[in-house]
Amino acid sequence: MALPVVAIIGRPNVGKSTLVNRLCRSREAIVHDTPGVTRDRTYQEGYWADRTFRVVDTGGLVFDDDSEFLPEIREQANLALAEAAVALVVVDGQQGCTAADQSIAEWLRGQGVPTMLAVNKCESPDAGLAMAAEFWGLGLGEPFPISAIHGAGTGDLLDKVVSYLPPTEEDEGEEPIQLAIIGRPNVGKSSLLNAVCGENRAIVSPIRGTTRDTIDTTIEREGKTWKLLDTAGIRRRRSVSYGPEYFGISRSFKAIERSDVCVLVIDALDGVTEQDQRLAGRIEEDGRACVVVVNKWDAIEKDSHTMPAMEKELRAKLYFLDWAPMLFTSALSGQRVQAIFPLALLAVEQHRRRVTTSVVNEVLTEALSWRTPPTSRGGRQGRLYYGTQVAVRPPSFTLFVNEPRLFGETYRRYVERQIREGLGFEGTPIKLFWRGKQQRDAEKELARSQTRGR
């Protein structure tokens, strides 16, 4: 059963994202002095007493201005309210009640959603009560004086919040699959998310840096629950100044780390850039499963030979992701966007797959019969005794040999190719660890010494 939603609403710079981090005991929401940092609606999980709920952070609401992003921010707030069990309105106690607060209160009264009022920046308990009293005139119920940055008053606030939440049932289902949408700015990540979800889940704009927070969305596909993580576009480090974009990119890298599978979005018009290669390398380095999605395919003039030719060209530059399936899509038209999920599910299954030692050694024996290990200039030949899978996520194998230095990169790549050809593992990187006899003897001696010392 889906968790009940608490929507955080308010004008810019009243401390909404700080309160979200406080309620969810995290630092996920980007907090910065600049107005308009939060644009899309972003979700985190919170809990209080025996209740668990989802907190949705929204952008700062402004009703008398239709400049850049403000209409889209209002649309995202509307969508947040549509699914909310309660709306928590945040105001600034130090600034007092403003015309913008009154506009938000008037708008909320027509939404039909239960509403609470949090008066933020009330660090002093005595002064906070006086600050909060000014907001009774908004007609949104009792104003709760709080300090989001220090936590004062948030316990009483949460006691009231959970009273609005419907009863929930324990969900015994499996954990959702975490799918991170990764790419440079303006390759169509947010458009892809919207096309997949069938709604305007994220703000889409040709302006670089529109998405700043990592946007979590939960949907059902292929009989599984997926948590989609739309991330900020990642530019070169030297191009990024310290501020909202810096924090957004940092969260994008964290999204890669916590994902089960990454969708690397490439712009079909630009092809593979140096930054795309860096992102691909980061995905492989972190050991994540991956699907490469080539977006804006509708903008390419093509015939029956265009797709194979372009795939060959793209793979030549993404050679370290040669194990990742590639899909040509158009987020604008919806072409093949739902085909992402079968490929992603296969990649996740392979990422978690374990193979018995006997099967691993059948593949290794076959590889040795086709190509023997190299011989050093001194006449020493490498010997591969046996191998075993030691981990999953990603699949990892330890190969026991006489001397790892005798196995150069060329032969190691050959063994990896043979393992892939014999065992599959489409959509996931694999790791090989080469252990020599001296390493094994040292480990055995260490184990003996530890046993004698007990």
Side-chain angles (χ1 to χ4, degrees):
M1 182 177 177
L3 293 175
V5 173
V6 177
I8 308 297
I9 303 293
R11 59 185 175 83
N13 265 35
V14 293
K16 297 185 298 299
S17 295
T18 304
L19 180 60
V20 169
N21 286 342
R22 172 64 61 180
L23 299 183
C24 299
R25 307 179 192 186
S26 76
R27 299 178 66 183
E28 289 299 311
I30 297 175
V31 177
H32 200 267
D33 290 338
T34 307
V37 170
T38 302
R39 292 169 176 171
D40 301 283
R41 64 191 198 274
T42 62
Y43 293 81
Q44 293 190 55
E45 195 168 294
Y47 61 91
W48 184 251
D50 60 345
R51 301 302 307 274
T52 303
F53 48 88
R54 298 182 79 200
V55 179
V56 52
D57 190 13
T58 63
L61 285 174
V62 178
F63 288 97
D64 58 355
D65 188 348
D66 285 336
S67 58
E68 187 176 279
F69 296 123
L70 292 178
E72 291 85 354
I73 289 172
R74 292 196 290 269
E75 180 186 1
Q76 292 296 310
N78 266 312
L79 292 169
L81 282 177
E83 59 181 347
V86 59
L88 182 54
V89 183
V90 184
V91 294
D92 188 329
Q94 294 183 3
Q95 289 190 0
C97 188
T98 67
D101 295 325
Q102 293 170 350
S103 296
I104 292 171
E106 182 179 349
W107 172 69
L108 280 170
R109 282 193 287 271
Q111 300 299 313
V113 179
T115 305
M116 290 182 56
L117 183 60
V119 184
N120 193 26
K121 306 182 184 180
C122 296
E123 278 71 31
S124 167
D126 295 333
L129 290 172
M131 291 179 183
E134 182 181 349
F135 291 90
W136 277 103
L138 290 179
L140 297 178
E142 178 186 0
F144 285 79
I146 66 164
S147 170
I149 196 167
H150 295 117
T154 54
D156 292 337
L157 180 71
L158 282 166
D159 285 340
K160 186 66 174 177
V161 166
V162 297
S163 71
Y164 284 99
L165 304 183
T168 56
E169 300 174 3
E170 290 295 325
D171 186 5
E172 300 296 334
E174 60 184 355
E175 287 292 315
I177 298 172
Q178 308 253 8
L179 185 152
I181 305 174
I182 305 297
R184 297 181 292 109
N186 275 30
V187 294
K189 300 183 299 299
S190 295
S191 296
L192 192 65
L193 175 69
N194 290 344
V196 163
C197 297
E199 63 167 293
N200 290 332
R201 180 62 189 82
I203 295 174
V204 175
S205 168
I207 300 171
R208 288 178 179 269
T210 300
T211 301
R212 288 170 169 172
D213 292 277
T214 296
I215 303 171
D216 290 13
T217 304
T218 302
I219 63 173
E220 300 287 333
R221 293 291 187 278
E222 299 294 310
K224 301 287 184 180
T225 302
W226 301 75
K227 180 178 282 188
L228 310 184
L229 314 175
D230 182 24
T231 62
I234 302 174
R235 296 195 290 160
R236 296 179 183 179
R237 182 173 297 179
R238 64 175 176 267
S239 303
V240 178
S241 59
Y242 187 82
E245 185 181 9
Y246 172 85
F247 293 118
I249 290 174
S250 175
R251 281 155 175 75
S252 296
F253 286 138
K254 288 181 180 178
I256 294 176
E257 292 173 6
R258 68 186 173 104
S259 68
D260 294 302
V261 57
C262 293
V263 169
L264 177 61
V265 184
I266 305 292
D267 190 321
L269 297 170
D270 295 340
V272 174
T273 68
E274 181 182 348
Q275 188 63 4
D276 292 323
Q277 291 177 322
R278 291 177 184 272
L279 292 174
R282 181 65 177 254
I283 291 169
E284 184 193 36
E285 181 183 327
D286 286 350
R288 302 300 96 189
C290 182
V291 176
V292 178
V293 169
V294 184
N295 192 31
K296 306 183 185 178
W297 187 238
D298 57 313
I300 298 291
E301 293 185 11
K302 45 193 170 289
D303 56 30
S304 59
H305 304 290
T306 306
M307 186 181 293
M310 179 168 281
E311 180 170 355
K312 182 178 179 181
E313 178 184 340
L314 296 177
R315 287 197 179 278
K317 295 181 179 179
L318 291 175
Y319 54 89
F320 33 74
L321 290 185
D322 58 358
W323 41 264
M326 185 174 288
L327 184 67
F328 292 82
T329 70
S330 167
L332 187 63
S333 68
Q335 182 184 23
R336 286 191 286 271
V337 294
Q338 298 301 334
I340 292 171
F341 291 98
L343 293 176
L345 181 58
L346 175 62
V348 169
E349 290 171 346
Q350 295 298 306
H351 195 239
R352 300 173 177 178
R353 180 173 158 227
R354 188 176 290 276
V355 179
T356 63
T357 298
S358 61
V359 173
V360 172
N361 284 287
E362 286 178 12
V363 173
L364 294 177
T365 300
E366 181 73 11
L368 291 170
S369 69
W370 283 101
R371 184 173 175 180
T372 57
T375 303
S376 69
R377 290 182 179 180
R380 291 194 65 195
Q381 184 176 30
R383 294 187 180 278
L384 200 168
Y385 300 120
Y386 70 97
T388 185
Q389 185 174 353
V390 294
V392 295
R393 304 188 187 192
S396 304
F397 301 84
T398 295
L399 306 181
F400 297 91
V401 299
N402 59 340
E403 178 55 66
R405 287 178 295 180
L406 297 174
F407 295 82
E409 283 302 312
T410 301
Y411 197 82
R412 293 187 181 204
R413 287 195 296 269
Y414 164 74
V415 172
E416 180 176 339
R417 284 198 306 272
Q418 292 301 110
I419 289 176
R420 285 195 178 279
E421 289 178 11
L423 300 177
F425 293 111
E426 300 88 354
T428 177
I430 63 174
K431 294 185 180 295
L432 302 183
F433 303 101
W434 300 73
R435 289 183 57 203
K437 186 176 185 300
Q438 291 181 348
Q439 290 173 286
R440 299 198 302 276
D441 291 344
E443 289 170 1
K444 289 178 182 177
E445 183 58 34
L446 178 62
R448 290 194 201 98
S449 65
Q450 290 174 340
T451 303
R452 287 195 296 268
R454 289 174 182 162

